Amino acid sequence: VQPLSDTPQPIDTDPRTIRLKNFLGRLHCPVAPLAGEFVDAADANQLDWRLLPSISVIESSGGKAYRGNNIFGWDQGVHVFSDIRSGIQEVAYKLGRSSLYRNRDLVGKLHLYNPDFTYADRVIAVMRRISPVANVKAASGLSLRHNQFVYATD
């Protein structure tokens, strides 16, 4: 697995990004520096911010084992993305906006994504490990990105 980037990333004050980066870091996931991109892609496609990173943890141990920049096992793992960031954007778009996934709830999306009867439960368990709630309250004084979520206490 190649390093994602040697370029310093700007500090992100979104509490979801901070929480996700810390979670992925504790698991030693190579995709931890992309926490902000996961959150941005989720916001842009009206997805729970914990979904994509959780799928990546199940499918590739968070970027530890994958082929073709496909950390999501998309298309049974055979689809090749130009880079990991492109994969995040494309999978987020498909899960949030394609006619196949768009009108399904979380469990419906996950059952379609992988019909194994344990898959949805495994992904949801990782989502809960990232954060027990989708709506994370910002620490006082931090500015938040514009998104569709209403923040609630953890």
Side-chain angles (χ1 to χ4, degrees):
V1 177
Q2 297 176 353
L4 296 173
S5 174
D6 293 332
T7 307
Q9 299 297 315
I11 295 174
D12 194 324
T13 58
D14 186 317
R16 299 170 300 162
T17 301
I18 295 165
R19 183 176 292 232
L20 180 56
K21 189 172 189 173
N22 289 339
F23 173 80
L24 294 170
R26 284 192 306 274
L27 296 179
H28 307 287
C29 297
V31 297
L34 299 176
E37 297 200 34
F38 281 113
V39 172
D40 288 343
D43 286 353
N45 293 286
Q46 300 174 350
L47 296 169
D48 185 310
W49 62 277
R50 304 167 299 165
L51 176 60
L52 292 173
S54 296
I55 291 173
S56 82
V57 166
I58 297 297
E59 296 291 344
S60 69
S61 297
K64 292 178 186 175
Y66 61 90
R67 293 187 313 238
N69 296 312
N70 187 346
I71 63 171
F72 301 107
W74 186 256
D75 191 19
Q76 299 176 347
V78 297
H79 189 90
V80 175
F81 297 104
S82 60
D83 56 40
I84 292 174
R85 288 175 174 90
S86 297
I88 292 170
Q89 296 302 317
E90 186 172 332
V91 173
Y93 179 84
K94 297 278 175 93
L95 291 177
R97 299 186 183 272
S98 77
S99 59
L100 193 57
Y101 287 95
R102 176 178 53 231
N103 295 320
R104 297 176 187 264
D105 65 4
L106 176 64
V107 173
K109 287 177 194 286
L110 289 170
H111 281 304
L112 185 60
Y113 193 93
N114 184 328
D116 179 291
F117 73 95
T118 66
Y119 189 77
D121 288 340
R122 290 186 294 139
V123 171
I124 291 168
V126 175
M127 291 173 70
R128 288 185 180 135
R129 286 176 55 204
I130 293 170
S131 176
V133 294
N135 302 324
V136 179
K137 183 176 179 163
S140 62
L142 296 180
S143 62
L144 300 175
R145 279 193 211 108
H146 174 72
N147 61 60
Q148 74 277 12
F149 295 106
V150 175
Y151 290 89
T153 304
D154 226 356

